[in-house]
Amino acid sequence: MRGAWRAALAWLDERLELGDSVLAVLRHPVPVALEGRIGWWYVFGSATLGVFVVQIATGVGLAMTYVPAPNSAYDTLQFITHDAALGGVVRGIHYWGAGAMVVLVLIHMSQVFLFGAYKYPREVNWLSGSVLLLLVLAMAFTGQLLRWDQDAFWSIVVAAEQAGRAPLIGDILAKLVIAGQTVGGATLTRFYATHVFLIPAAIFGFIGLHLYLVVKRGISEPPESGRPVDPRTYRQRYAEILRRGIPFYPDAAYRDAIVAFVAVVVVLVLALVVGAPELGKPADPTVVVADPKPDWYFLGYFSLLALIPREAESLVIIGLPTFAVLYLFALPLLFPAGERHWSRRPAAIAVVTIPFVAYVALTLAGFQSPWVPKLTDGAQLPVQVTIGLTPQQQSGAKLFISKDCFACHAIAGAGGRRGPDLSDVGSRLPRDRIVQRILTGGAGGMPAFAGNITPQELDDLVAFLETRTGK
Amino acid sequence: MDRREFLSRITLGLSALIAALVGLPIIGYLLAPLVQPLPDQYIDVGAADSFHDTTLVKFRDPSPLPWAGQLADSALWVRRRADSGAQMFQVFSVHCTHLGCPVNWRPAAGIFLCPCHGGVFYADGRVAGGPPERPLFERDWRVEGGRLMVRAEPLPTIQTPKAT
């Protein structure tokens, strides 16, 4: 039996000659320094690749059932989630895998950046990786839209409106996003084909280039402080390093396998324990009750859009992504030589940490979304606020709700947080200032209610607000 | 040019030609919907006298793609201003001029509120507060035989010309 097995393998090997090709590539030499603990920093590319394979497998599975037409997409996805055997698990893996892709790509990129590995002669490794980052983000965004619930529909509109702000080509970009003049039957099929064919094809191509370069240019040796890259001497020095190198497979690859395994297990556990998010209400352009929020990894950007001042809006919406992309692509071309070690590149540490901290803060803000007016039907003021009021103050309290003041202004811990908290407005502002604010509005979000409130209503409302002294 | 050089050029040239022959129709097919204008038409959304105050009107695209489902429907805010004449109605897109989220009419407060980033508009569409830079998008309309007709228009964006 064993002999037959060996004979079969030998037969195959003679036909395929994998030993000379694939195995030889897998065994390409890498710097011996990777045997040390620093080698654990070199694992994130493989982990990303591992999760990508998971995304392909689960994506193909989902596509077997999902029907990408506006009249069926939502129902088929509900079927996948709740009725198909293991459908909820497969969708859960695909959802958490998408988040893992975004996170792992960013970690991988930060590591390469901090190690200065994008410098000569690996500039194109970085450039192809940058394209892959953009493609992964495009996958994450287009994937969310395929849920085809209210969030998805309005996210498409928001995306088109953002694209529409681009100078000169804005209009055509907006139409490209929605595949026509309006969001309609063609929009979803276009997004679907983009998500399952177009972008994946590009990702395959660029992964091919990326891996080819990883082998051809070799993995960068760990940076040493005071040893700058000099393009005239680098390749000779690197060749010497490789002469004392170790084979990638298995001496370094086992770490990649361990981390990829951990990443996939984390995705699987999240899929099983937390699962994919429930769908919202089906997409319907005539239902104007919607508050579209993207998935957690885009929440920080969503917050940014809410928080930028009006004057800078188009500049930030168009300018910031443009600058970020230009920076990514210009980086290795502008700084191909010089120090690689992070301790000699304080600016590099700032470039990684400042956006990271800012994005985490924006993400936390996004979960709370204090800028969103709370339009809840049947909203009520806390009892301690309304107790013991005179009839006029009672009437004012009712107006506070019906005129939607409560949607934006908090009182005693309840209500919206779009505008200033009014819990102590009675001791903070004199009566005439309160009246003036209500009638003429104010900077920022406050509308002027002058044409929309009777003198009696105004008196009642102010009488109520004057009771709010914070005590 | 020697024979080898000639054959190399033939090979590359033919490959490029194949790409162009197949690529051009595909690119045209993909881009055509972007440049195809909507038919110049007015859609009947209901009896003109049935609109009072400010109401959401829902209507169906007269010629949707067969699989469009719910997306064949759209909605507009119709504000009744006068009994008749050119000032009779104001018809607003439901899309906030900030980033396109749907604005809600709050009758008691007399304002349109956008749930996404808190944009606020007055009843006549002017900006009352929040991030929006321009008034609500207005739609062309006319009354024919007692029916309110609104013009079919593309998704409005910040580049949509302002109503005059």
Side-chain angles (χ1 to χ4, degrees):
Chain A
M1 186 60 209
R2 234 178 143 167
W5 179 240
R6 232 177 240 170
L9 276 186
W11 185 91
L12 258 186
D13 190 50
E14 195 191 335
R15 305 303 180 286
L16 298 175
E17 292 191 41
L18 291 183
D20 296 348
S21 54
V22 174
L23 206 57
V25 169
L26 280 174
R27 288 198 173 131
H28 71 277
V30 298
V32 69
L34 262 62
E35 271 190 333
R37 277 176 40 205
I38 194 141
W40 286 104
W41 285 103
Y42 285 75
V43 296
F44 299 108
S46 299
T48 315
L49 187 61
V51 177
F52 180 63
V53 173
V54 170
Q55 291 303 88
I56 299 170
T58 49
V60 169
L62 292 171
M64 298 259 174
T65 309
Y66 181 79
V67 178
N71 62 5
S72 344
Y74 184 86
D75 294 335
T76 54
L77 203 51
Q78 288 291 33
F79 173 81
I80 291 171
T81 313
H82 297 292
D83 298 323
L86 292 174
V89 176
V90 172
R91 202 189 136 216
I93 298 174
H94 203 66
Y95 168 77
W96 286 106
M101 286 291 292
V102 173
V103 170
L104 286 170
V105 164
L106 289 177
I107 295 177
H108 176 49
M109 231 177 82
S110 305
Q111 179 266 321
V112 167
F113 178 71
L114 288 174
F115 277 45
Y118 60 84
K119 290 181 186 292
Y120 179 88
R122 302 186 180 84
E123 296 95 327
V124 183
N125 298 44
W126 174 268
L127 294 177
S128 56
S130 300
V131 175
L132 283 167
L133 166 74
L134 299 181
L135 292 172
V136 165
L137 294 179
M139 282 304 268
F141 180 69
T142 51
Q144 289 172 36
L145 306 178
L146 300 185
R147 281 177 215 148
W148 212 242
D149 54 6
Q150 278 284 76
D151 271 12
F153 173 80
W154 291 104
S155 296
I156 292 176
V157 174
V158 171
E161 297 289 342
Q162 286 182 49
R165 283 174 182 258
L168 301 175
I169 51 166
D171 199 48
I172 198 83
L173 276 186
K175 284 175 178 145
L176 193 67
V177 170
I178 59 177
Q181 307 288 321
T182 57
V183 186
T187 311
L188 177 58
T189 45
R190 182 73 69 97
F191 268 114
Y192 177 77
T194 306
H195 183 80
V196 305
F197 295 118
L198 209 54
I199 307 179
I203 290 183
F204 282 128
F206 277 96
I207 286 181
L209 173 63
H210 202 63
L211 291 182
Y212 165 81
L213 287 171
V214 165
V215 174
K216 197 77 185 165
R217 293 278 76 86
I219 292 171
S220 71
E221 76 282 11
E224 278 174 60
S225 176
R227 263 216 156 167
V229 171
D230 181 351
R232 283 168 304 178
T233 57
Y234 180 81
R235 294 189 75 161
Q236 196 188 347
R237 179 153 65 89
Y238 187 69
E240 267 157 39
I241 292 174
L242 283 198
R243 213 160 293 139
R244 287 171 286 117
I246 51 171
F248 169 72
Y249 174 84
D251 292 34
Y254 80 94
R255 286 194 173 116
D256 295 44
I258 290 173
V259 175
F261 175 76
V262 170
V264 171
V265 167
V266 168
V267 166
L268 201 61
V269 167
L270 284 169
L272 288 169
V273 176
V274 187
E278 281 295 332
L279 302 187
K281 297 223 166 65
D284 186 341
T286 68
V287 173
V288 293
V289 180
D291 175 13
K293 262 193 192 183
D295 285 346
W296 55 274
Y297 41 86
F298 283 150
L299 212 47
Y301 188 66
F302 163 83
S303 304
L304 183 70
L305 294 181
L307 294 173
I308 32 180
R310 191 194 306 185
E311 295 73 21
E313 200 118 299
S314 285
L315 188 70
V316 174
I317 290 175
I318 297 302
L320 195 68
T322 310
F323 173 78
V325 169
L326 282 181
Y327 180 83
L328 270 183
F329 286 93
L331 176 76
L333 307 175
L334 292 180
F335 309 105
E339 283 286 348
R340 283 183 55 203
H341 200 271
W342 52 89
S343 67
R344 299 270 179 128
R345 294 162 57 223
I349 296 175
V351 165
V352 173
T353 48
I354 292 174
F356 176 76
V357 171
Y359 199 77
V360 169
L362 283 168
T363 303
L364 294 178
F367 278 110
Q368 307 205 342
S369 299
W371 51 85
V372 172
K374 278 192 189 161
L375 296 175
T376 35
D377 289 325
Q380 277 191 331
L381 285 161
V383 182
Q384 76 265 27
V385 172
T386 49
I387 206 157
L389 294 180
T390 67
Q392 185 188 28
Q393 291 160 351
Q394 283 284 5
S395 152
K398 288 206 183 88
L399 286 164
F400 191 76
I401 306 279
S402 68
K403 295 277 181 197
D404 284 328
C405 312
F406 201 41
C408 295
H409 295 283
I411 280 187
R417 289 164 59 194
R418 174 89 176 82
D421 190 316
L422 299 182
S423 300
D424 60 348
V425 68
S427 54
R428 202 153 44 79
L429 291 179
R431 184 189 156 84
D432 57 333
R433 289 282 303 283
I434 300 179
V435 170
Q436 185 195 5
R437 273 295 163 83
I438 296 173
L439 292 182
T440 64
M446 179 71 186
F449 278 85
N452 214 358
I453 193 166
T454 65
Q456 179 66 54
E457 286 175 331
L458 183 63
D459 277 349
D460 294 356
L461 187 55
V462 175
F464 164 68
L465 288 174
E466 283 190 305
T467 66
R468 296 297 94 219
T469 54
K471 285 170 198 141
Chain B
M1 193 188 306
D2 64 2
R3 182 182 136 86
R4 190 162 276 160
E5 172 87 26
F6 176 74
L7 292 181
S8 141
R9 285 194 185 182
I10 290 269
T11 311
L12 294 178
L14 281 177
S15 304
L17 200 59
I18 292 172
L21 285 176
V22 185
L24 286 178
I26 291 179
I27 289 171
Y29 167 78
L30 288 177
L31 294 184
L34 313 188
V35 291
Q36 233 157 36
L38 286 176
D40 188 13
Q41 62 179 353
Y42 281 76
I43 303 166
D44 184 343
V45 299
D49 283 336
S50 67
F51 295 101
H52 311 284
D53 307 320
T54 298
T55 43
L56 188 72
V57 59
K58 304 178 181 189
F59 57 96
R60 232 178 141 66
D61 180 344
S63 52
L65 293 172
W67 58 89
Q70 205 63 52
L71 282 201
D73 294 334
S74 4
L76 292 166
W77 288 109
V78 176
R79 176 183 179 226
R80 179 78 177 242
R81 283 200 294 193
D83 288 340
S84 60
Q87 295 292 309
M88 195 170 173
F89 292 109
Q90 252 183 317
V91 180
F92 300 114
S93 158
V94 295
H95 299 294
C96 179
T97 55
H98 176 222
L99 284 174
C101 290
V103 292
N104 285 256
W105 171 246
R106 312 292 295 177
I111 49 174
F112 291 100
L113 254 184
C114 179
C116 286
H117 306 122
V120 194
F121 303 87
Y122 293 116
D124 60 1
R126 279 178 303 124
V127 177
E133 300 151 77
R134 56 179 280 181
L136 286 176
F137 301 112
E138 284 197 51
R139 207 51 106 78
D140 281 347
W141 58 273
R142 61 187 184 216
V143 174
E144 270 176 22
R147 308 291 297 177
L148 175 60
M149 317 280 286
V150 297
R151 189 152 184 256
E153 273 173 27
L155 178 74
T157 69
I158 199 89
Q159 315 222 352
T160 303
K162 288 190 182 163
T164 42

